[in-house]
């Protein structure tokens, strides 16, 4: 048996690259175990249907009701964050670094191409998932990739399904890095993923540049054949660790799943003394390194981007808006069930029975037979504590809204007191500063970085031409434009301005209304462009899809209307001037 185990160990032996990548993953994944436990506890509170799923269930209360306050704050934050990022279709702009990069034609081509790809690749849906990570974990991670997918037509031809860049969410539970680094871009990253053997076969056969996956399939099939004769005890003797999420090694290798660890960054080979920078190392089964290549992008860093909600000092793992509200949710559920138990005791109090008492049941109309000296007495309870619990629950819920950076005005709830329109807007802007700062950080640190990486990967992999639909601002109609690689190649930056524009346009509208309601309006009237002011109102109200506002459109419509009126009057006059047939 010892020889058999030695042979098994040799089959499962790791190479040098896979060994240190797997060790790095285990090291930094274990170090953040407390953070993961906190995230899982928060998740239990958010999705709990009763207190038996949370730590409140350990309390000795008969009732097990949970008040989903954390879930409500989470949903409110998500909906408001998402609405702020995409208030209208003009949330993405191009800023060129040079004269040739800033022309109207160049900007229109890049903005139209990226807007088209964002729509086709369901960019908004993926951003929605990233926002949930931002709220739940306090950390959101995204990467980008170029996808060229086709479908086979009935005549045997291949039709393009989607060709272009795509943003992808990376689960915070599937990425590790050095949290003590000065920035996320300057540290290595290891991303864990799980694929089936079938998925790896498809990658190897569909994309020629990913042919390195084929040896993975061959090795797994050979490994399953060679290890079929070994028992689970042999595996336990040969290896003393488990693959994350797959149980023991015997179950893992007999399954159809393959664990993949991908290292991004710089590493020092202790065996050869060689320092390698900007590398991608792909490790399969924590035993074989199937790829060790230079990063293909032009930025010089890994195409993985991170944003945190509330950063800790000297730690890149940030805290989420709900993390320190779990205790308050615990308190609310505790008070709610304490109150419910107390009300049950008031409505259906316990009885003190003295002496010999005979009864069939305790119900309305029941008859009791009491011996001499016997009695039944209700043990009454005071309602004062219940009233106090109600007040404390309401106070806790109000505080949780504020602590999460979600002012009540953002949820459509107006604070007490009479206010003018300008006062309401001023108070709303001041109360929403935490909210605005957090969503602007998400927009700048994650979306802007990811969008520019999407443009880079699109230019690098662009082949041939692409036809997209574009709105012509001059004539107000949609046209089709043929985009080539040269059209979207420029030096500059894409900027998502939805969140920043969303906050600013509300303030701008109030300022314009205030100006035109003052004597200043008469002074500046000769210098005010009605057409540009109309564009501003259209942008603020988001009514561009209805084509309501166009230069001098009212004059043209009035002219047409007046022409129809004149024509109708002329026809009526002619009819009246012609004698009726048969009349004397």
């Amino acid at each position: 048996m010892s020889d058999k185990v030695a042979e098994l160990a040799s089959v499962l032996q790791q190479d040098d690259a896979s060994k240190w990548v797997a060790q790095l993953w285990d090291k930094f994944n274990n170090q953040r175990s407390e953070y993961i436990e906190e995230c899982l506890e928060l998740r239990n509170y958010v999705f709990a249907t009763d207190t038996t799923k949370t730590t409140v269930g350990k309390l000795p209360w008969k009732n097990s009701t949970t008040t989903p306050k954390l879930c409500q704050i989470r949903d409110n934050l998500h909906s408001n964050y998402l609405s702020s990022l995409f208030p209208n279709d003009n949330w993405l702009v191009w800023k060129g670094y040079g004269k040739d990069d800033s022309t109207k034609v160049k900007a229109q081509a890049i903005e139209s191409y990226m807007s088209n790809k964002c729509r086709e690749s369901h960019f908004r849906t993926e951003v929605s998932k990233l926002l949930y990570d931002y709220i739940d974990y306090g950390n959101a991670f995204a990467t980008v990739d170029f996808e060229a997918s086709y479908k086979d037509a009935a005549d045997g031809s291949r039709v393009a399904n989607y060709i272009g860049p795509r943003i992808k969410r990376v689960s915070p539970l599937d990425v590790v890095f050095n949290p003590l680094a000065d920035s996320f871009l300057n540290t290595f990253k290891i991303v864990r993923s799980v694929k089936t053997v079938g998925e790896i076969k498809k990658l190897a056969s569909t994309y020629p540049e990913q042919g390195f996956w084929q040896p993975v399939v061959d090795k797994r099939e050979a490994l399953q054949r060679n290890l079929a004769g070994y028992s689970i005890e042999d595996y336990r003797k040969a290896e003393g660790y488990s693959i994350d999420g797959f149980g023991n090694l015997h179950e893992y290798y007999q399954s159809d799943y393959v664990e993949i660890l991908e290292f991004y960054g710089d590493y020092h080979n202790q065996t050869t003394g060689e320092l390698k920078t900007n590398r991608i190392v792909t490790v399969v089964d924590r035993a074989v390194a199937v790829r060790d290549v230079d990063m293909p992008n032009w930025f010089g860093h890994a195409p993985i981007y991170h944003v945190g909600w509330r950063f800790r000092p000297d730690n890149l793992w940030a805290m989420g808006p709900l993390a320190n509200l779990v205790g308050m949710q615990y308190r609310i559920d505790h008070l709610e069930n304490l109150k419910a138990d107390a009300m049950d005791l008031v409505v259906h109090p316990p009885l003190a029975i003295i002496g010999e008492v005979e009864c069939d049941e305790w119900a309305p109309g029941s008859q009791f037979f009491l011996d001499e000296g016997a009695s039944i007495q209700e043990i009454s309870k005071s309602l004062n504590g219940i009233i106090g619990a109600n007040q404390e629950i309401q106070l806790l819920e109000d505080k949780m809204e504020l602590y999460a950076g979600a002012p009540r005005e953002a949820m459509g709830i107006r604070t007490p007191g009479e206010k003018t329109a300008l006062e309401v807007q001023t108070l709303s802007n001041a109360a929403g500063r935490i909210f605005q700062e957090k969503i602007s950080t998400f927009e700048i640190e994650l979306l802007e970085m990811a969008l520019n990486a999407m443009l880079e990967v699109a230019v690098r992999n662009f082949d041939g031409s692409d036809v997209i639909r574009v709105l012509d601002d001059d004539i107000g109609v949609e046209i089709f434009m043929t985009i080539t690689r040269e059209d979207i190649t420029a030096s500059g930056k894409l900027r998502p301005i939805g969140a920043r524009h969303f906050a600013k346009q509300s303030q701008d509208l109030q300022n314009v209304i205030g100006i035109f309601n003052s004597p200043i309006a008469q002074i500046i009237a000769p210098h005010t462009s009605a057409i540009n002011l109309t564009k501003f109102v259209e942008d603020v109200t988001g009514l561009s899809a209805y084509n309501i506002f166009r230069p001098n459109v009212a004059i043209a419509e009035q002219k047409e209307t007046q022409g129809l009126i004149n024509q109708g009057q002329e026809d009526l006059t002619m009819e009246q001037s012609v004698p009726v047939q048969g009349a004397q």
Side-chain angles (χ1 to χ4, degrees), residues 231-250:
S231 66
I232 188 172
E233 289 76 13
D234 297 328
Y235 281 88
R236 289 172 179 168
K237 293 178 182 178
E239 295 292 333
Y241 65 91
S242 297
I243 300 293
D244 288 346
F246 296 98
N248 58 57
L249 212 59
H250 179 270

PDB file of all heavy atoms in Angstrom, residues 231-250:
ATOM      1  N   SER A 231      -8.491   4.252  -4.001  1.00  0.00           N
ATOM      2  CA  SER A 231      -9.607   4.480  -3.086  1.00  0.00           C
ATOM      3  C   SER A 231      -9.482   5.857  -2.454  1.00  0.00           C
ATOM      4  O   SER A 231      -8.456   6.519  -2.555  1.00  0.00           O
ATOM      5  CB  SER A 231      -9.627   3.402  -1.998  1.00  0.00           C
ATOM      6  OG  SER A 231      -8.471   3.536  -1.172  1.00  0.00           O
ATOM      7  N   ILE A 232     -10.534   6.246  -1.751  1.00  0.00           N
ATOM      8  CA  ILE A 232     -10.526   7.548  -1.098  1.00  0.00           C
ATOM      9  C   ILE A 232      -9.475   7.606   0.003  1.00  0.00           C
ATOM     10  O   ILE A 232      -8.907   8.662   0.296  1.00  0.00           O
ATOM     11  CB  ILE A 232     -11.941   7.876  -0.559  1.00  0.00           C
ATOM     12  CG1 ILE A 232     -11.983   9.330  -0.052  1.00  0.00           C
ATOM     13  CG2 ILE A 232     -12.352   6.897   0.537  1.00  0.00           C
ATOM     14  CD1 ILE A 232     -13.383   9.769   0.310  1.00  0.00           C
ATOM     15  N   GLU A 233      -9.182   6.441   0.636  1.00  0.00           N
ATOM     16  CA  GLU A 233      -8.154   6.412   1.672  1.00  0.00           C
ATOM     17  C   GLU A 233      -6.781   6.733   1.088  1.00  0.00           C
ATOM     18  O   GLU A 233      -5.939   7.369   1.727  1.00  0.00           O
ATOM     19  CB  GLU A 233      -8.130   5.058   2.369  1.00  0.00           C
ATOM     20  CG  GLU A 233      -9.327   4.795   3.280  1.00  0.00           C
ATOM     21  CD  GLU A 233     -10.576   4.445   2.506  1.00  0.00           C
ATOM     22  OE1 GLU A 233     -10.473   4.153   1.286  1.00  0.00           O
ATOM     23  OE2 GLU A 233     -11.677   4.487   3.100  1.00  0.00           O
ATOM     24  N   ASP A 234      -6.537   6.287  -0.136  1.00  0.00           N
ATOM     25  CA  ASP A 234      -5.256   6.579  -0.791  1.00  0.00           C
ATOM     26  C   ASP A 234      -5.094   8.084  -1.006  1.00  0.00           C
ATOM     27  O   ASP A 234      -4.011   8.638  -0.830  1.00  0.00           O
ATOM     28  CB  ASP A 234      -5.167   5.847  -2.124  1.00  0.00           C
ATOM     29  CG  ASP A 234      -5.207   4.332  -1.942  1.00  0.00           C
ATOM     30  OD1 ASP A 234      -4.711   3.870  -0.901  1.00  0.00           O
ATOM     31  OD2 ASP A 234      -5.737   3.639  -2.819  1.00  0.00           O
ATOM     32  N   TYR A 235      -6.175   8.741  -1.386  1.00  0.00           N
ATOM     33  CA  TYR A 235      -6.110  10.187  -1.589  1.00  0.00           C
ATOM     34  C   TYR A 235      -5.800  10.903  -0.274  1.00  0.00           C
ATOM     35  O   TYR A 235      -5.031  11.858  -0.229  1.00  0.00           O
ATOM     36  CB  TYR A 235      -7.444  10.697  -2.139  1.00  0.00           C
ATOM     37  CG  TYR A 235      -7.624  10.454  -3.623  1.00  0.00           C
ATOM     38  CD1 TYR A 235      -8.183   9.265  -4.082  1.00  0.00           C
ATOM     39  CD2 TYR A 235      -7.256  11.407  -4.553  1.00  0.00           C
ATOM     40  CE1 TYR A 235      -8.365   9.033  -5.437  1.00  0.00           C
ATOM     41  CE2 TYR A 235      -7.432  11.191  -5.913  1.00  0.00           C
ATOM     42  CZ  TYR A 235      -7.990  10.004  -6.347  1.00  0.00           C
ATOM     43  OH  TYR A 235      -8.156   9.784  -7.681  1.00  0.00           O
ATOM     44  N   ARG A 236      -6.429  10.452   0.795  1.00  0.00           N
ATOM     45  CA  ARG A 236      -6.221  11.104   2.086  1.00  0.00           C
ATOM     46  C   ARG A 236      -4.785  10.959   2.553  1.00  0.00           C
ATOM     47  O   ARG A 236      -4.231  11.848   3.198  1.00  0.00           O
ATOM     48  CB  ARG A 236      -7.191  10.511   3.112  1.00  0.00           C
ATOM     49  CG  ARG A 236      -8.638  10.924   2.871  1.00  0.00           C
ATOM     50  CD  ARG A 236      -9.598  10.165   3.772  1.00  0.00           C
ATOM     51  NE  ARG A 236     -10.978  10.581   3.541  1.00  0.00           N
ATOM     52  CZ  ARG A 236     -12.033   9.934   4.011  1.00  0.00           C
ATOM     53  NH1 ARG A 236     -11.863   8.827   4.739  1.00  0.00           N
ATOM     54  NH2 ARG A 236     -13.250  10.375   3.766  1.00  0.00           N
ATOM     55  N   LYS A 237      -4.173   9.845   2.239  1.00  0.00           N
ATOM     56  CA  LYS A 237      -2.780   9.651   2.634  1.00  0.00           C
ATOM     57  C   LYS A 237      -1.836  10.484   1.767  1.00  0.00           C
ATOM     58  O   LYS A 237      -0.810  10.960   2.231  1.00  0.00           O
ATOM     59  CB  LYS A 237      -2.407   8.171   2.522  1.00  0.00           C
ATOM     60  CG  LYS A 237      -3.129   7.291   3.524  1.00  0.00           C
ATOM     61  CD  LYS A 237      -2.760   5.841   3.318  1.00  0.00           C
ATOM     62  CE  LYS A 237      -3.526   4.934   4.281  1.00  0.00           C
ATOM     63  NZ  LYS A 237      -3.207   3.515   4.069  1.00  0.00           N
ATOM     64  N   ALA A 238      -2.217  10.652   0.492  1.00  0.00           N
ATOM     65  CA  ALA A 238      -1.328  11.349  -0.433  1.00  0.00           C
ATOM     66  C   ALA A 238      -1.415  12.857  -0.280  1.00  0.00           C
ATOM     67  O   ALA A 238      -0.415  13.559  -0.406  1.00  0.00           O
ATOM     68  CB  ALA A 238      -1.662  10.954  -1.864  1.00  0.00           C
ATOM     69  N   GLU A 239      -2.591  13.399  -0.019  1.00  0.00           N
ATOM     70  CA  GLU A 239      -2.771  14.850   0.043  1.00  0.00           C
ATOM     71  C   GLU A 239      -3.532  15.205   1.309  1.00  0.00           C
ATOM     72  O   GLU A 239      -4.505  14.566   1.663  1.00  0.00           O
ATOM     73  CB  GLU A 239      -3.556  15.345  -1.188  1.00  0.00           C
ATOM     74  CG  GLU A 239      -2.817  15.161  -2.496  1.00  0.00           C
ATOM     75  CD  GLU A 239      -1.598  16.065  -2.610  1.00  0.00           C
ATOM     76  OE1 GLU A 239      -1.585  17.140  -1.985  1.00  0.00           O
ATOM     77  OE2 GLU A 239      -0.650  15.681  -3.311  1.00  0.00           O
ATOM     78  N   GLY A 240      -3.076  16.269   1.971  1.00  0.00           N
ATOM     79  CA  GLY A 240      -3.690  16.658   3.235  1.00  0.00           C
ATOM     80  C   GLY A 240      -4.504  17.920   3.150  1.00  0.00           C
ATOM     81  O   GLY A 240      -4.699  18.589   4.164  1.00  0.00           O
ATOM     82  N   TYR A 241      -4.960  18.304   1.980  1.00  0.00           N
ATOM     83  CA  TYR A 241      -5.749  19.527   1.868  1.00  0.00           C
ATOM     84  C   TYR A 241      -6.949  19.263   0.966  1.00  0.00           C
ATOM     85  O   TYR A 241      -7.015  18.280   0.249  1.00  0.00           O
ATOM     86  CB  TYR A 241      -4.929  20.686   1.300  1.00  0.00           C
ATOM     87  CG  TYR A 241      -4.461  20.494  -0.114  1.00  0.00           C
ATOM     88  CD1 TYR A 241      -5.234  20.941  -1.174  1.00  0.00           C
ATOM     89  CD2 TYR A 241      -3.265  19.858  -0.400  1.00  0.00           C
ATOM     90  CE1 TYR A 241      -4.834  20.763  -2.480  1.00  0.00           C
ATOM     91  CE2 TYR A 241      -2.850  19.673  -1.701  1.00  0.00           C
ATOM     92  CZ  TYR A 241      -3.638  20.131  -2.749  1.00  0.00           C
ATOM     93  OH  TYR A 241      -3.217  19.953  -4.030  1.00  0.00           O
ATOM     94  N   SER A 242      -7.900  20.205   1.000  1.00  0.00           N
ATOM     95  CA  SER A 242      -9.101  20.093   0.176  1.00  0.00           C
ATOM     96  C   SER A 242      -9.153  21.253  -0.807  1.00  0.00           C
ATOM     97  O   SER A 242      -8.671  22.342  -0.521  1.00  0.00           O
ATOM     98  CB  SER A 242     -10.362  20.128   1.058  1.00  0.00           C
ATOM     99  OG  SER A 242     -10.381  19.020   1.931  1.00  0.00           O
ATOM    100  N   ILE A 243      -9.713  21.020  -1.951  1.00  0.00           N
ATOM    101  CA  ILE A 243      -9.965  22.081  -2.920  1.00  0.00           C
ATOM    102  C   ILE A 243     -11.191  22.864  -2.450  1.00  0.00           C
ATOM    103  O   ILE A 243     -12.186  22.280  -2.036  1.00  0.00           O
ATOM    104  CB  ILE A 243     -10.213  21.483  -4.320  1.00  0.00           C
ATOM    105  CG1 ILE A 243      -8.998  20.680  -4.770  1.00  0.00           C
ATOM    106  CG2 ILE A 243     -10.529  22.575  -5.316  1.00  0.00           C
ATOM    107  CD1 ILE A 243      -7.761  21.507  -5.023  1.00  0.00           C
ATOM    108  N   ASP A 244     -11.123  24.189  -2.505  1.00  0.00           N
ATOM    109  CA  ASP A 244     -12.216  25.029  -2.013  1.00  0.00           C
ATOM    110  C   ASP A 244     -13.538  24.662  -2.680  1.00  0.00           C
ATOM    111  O   ASP A 244     -13.677  24.739  -3.895  1.00  0.00           O
ATOM    112  CB  ASP A 244     -11.923  26.507  -2.294  1.00  0.00           C
ATOM    113  CG  ASP A 244     -10.828  27.035  -1.383  1.00  0.00           C
ATOM    114  OD1 ASP A 244     -10.520  26.351  -0.401  1.00  0.00           O
ATOM    115  OD2 ASP A 244     -10.299  28.119  -1.665  1.00  0.00           O
ATOM    116  N   GLY A 245     -14.509  24.276  -1.862  1.00  0.00           N
ATOM    117  CA  GLY A 245     -15.852  24.036  -2.357  1.00  0.00           C
ATOM    118  C   GLY A 245     -16.096  22.689  -2.994  1.00  0.00           C
ATOM    119  O   GLY A 245     -17.188  22.445  -3.502  1.00  0.00           O
ATOM    120  N   PHE A 246     -15.121  21.780  -2.995  1.00  0.00           N
ATOM    121  CA  PHE A 246     -15.301  20.492  -3.655  1.00  0.00           C
ATOM    122  C   PHE A 246     -15.106  19.315  -2.699  1.00  0.00           C
ATOM    123  O   PHE A 246     -15.055  18.171  -3.141  1.00  0.00           O
ATOM    124  CB  PHE A 246     -14.329  20.338  -4.830  1.00  0.00           C
ATOM    125  CG  PHE A 246     -14.566  21.320  -5.930  1.00  0.00           C
ATOM    126  CD1 PHE A 246     -13.817  22.470  -6.015  1.00  0.00           C
ATOM    127  CD2 PHE A 246     -15.555  21.103  -6.865  1.00  0.00           C
ATOM    128  CE1 PHE A 246     -14.036  23.387  -7.024  1.00  0.00           C
ATOM    129  CE2 PHE A 246     -15.780  22.010  -7.882  1.00  0.00           C
ATOM    130  CZ  PHE A 246     -15.019  23.154  -7.963  1.00  0.00           C
ATOM    131  N   GLY A 247     -14.966  19.568  -1.423  1.00  0.00           N
ATOM    132  CA  GLY A 247     -14.733  18.479  -0.493  1.00  0.00           C
ATOM    133  C   GLY A 247     -13.309  17.970  -0.607  1.00  0.00           C
ATOM    134  O   GLY A 247     -12.364  18.736  -0.757  1.00  0.00           O
ATOM    135  N   ASN A 248     -13.141  16.667  -0.563  1.00  0.00           N
ATOM    136  CA  ASN A 248     -11.793  16.102  -0.621  1.00  0.00           C
ATOM    137  C   ASN A 248     -11.324  15.956  -2.072  1.00  0.00           C
ATOM    138  O   ASN A 248     -12.077  16.132  -3.023  1.00  0.00           O
ATOM    139  CB  ASN A 248     -11.742  14.754   0.106  1.00  0.00           C
ATOM    140  CG  ASN A 248     -12.722  13.750  -0.480  1.00  0.00           C
ATOM    141  OD1 ASN A 248     -12.670  13.444  -1.658  1.00  0.00           O
ATOM    142  ND2 ASN A 248     -13.618  13.244   0.362  1.00  0.00           N
ATOM    143  N   LEU A 249     -10.059  15.602  -2.202  1.00  0.00           N
ATOM    144  CA  LEU A 249      -9.425  15.542  -3.520  1.00  0.00           C
ATOM    145  C   LEU A 249     -10.011  14.430  -4.386  1.00  0.00           C
ATOM    146  O   LEU A 249     -10.072  14.547  -5.610  1.00  0.00           O
ATOM    147  CB  LEU A 249      -7.921  15.345  -3.338  1.00  0.00           C
ATOM    148  CG  LEU A 249      -7.016  15.981  -4.396  1.00  0.00           C
ATOM    149  CD1 LEU A 249      -7.246  17.468  -4.455  1.00  0.00           C
ATOM    150  CD2 LEU A 249      -5.555  15.684  -4.081  1.00  0.00           C
ATOM    151  N   HIS A 250     -10.433  13.339  -3.741  1.00  0.00           N
ATOM    152  CA  HIS A 250     -11.031  12.230  -4.494  1.00  0.00           C
ATOM    153  C   HIS A 250     -12.302  12.694  -5.195  1.00  0.00           C
ATOM    154  O   HIS A 250     -12.507  12.430  -6.390  1.00  0.00           O
ATOM    155  CB  HIS A 250     -11.335  11.070  -3.538  1.00  0.00           C
ATOM    156  CG  HIS A 250     -11.977   9.891  -4.211  1.00  0.00           C
ATOM    157  ND1 HIS A 250     -13.341   9.765  -4.326  1.00  0.00           N
ATOM    158  CD2 HIS A 250     -11.434   8.795  -4.813  1.00  0.00           C
ATOM    159  CE1 HIS A 250     -13.617   8.633  -4.961  1.00  0.00           C
ATOM    160  NE2 HIS A 250     -12.485   8.031  -5.272  1.00  0.00           N
TER     161      HIS A 250
END
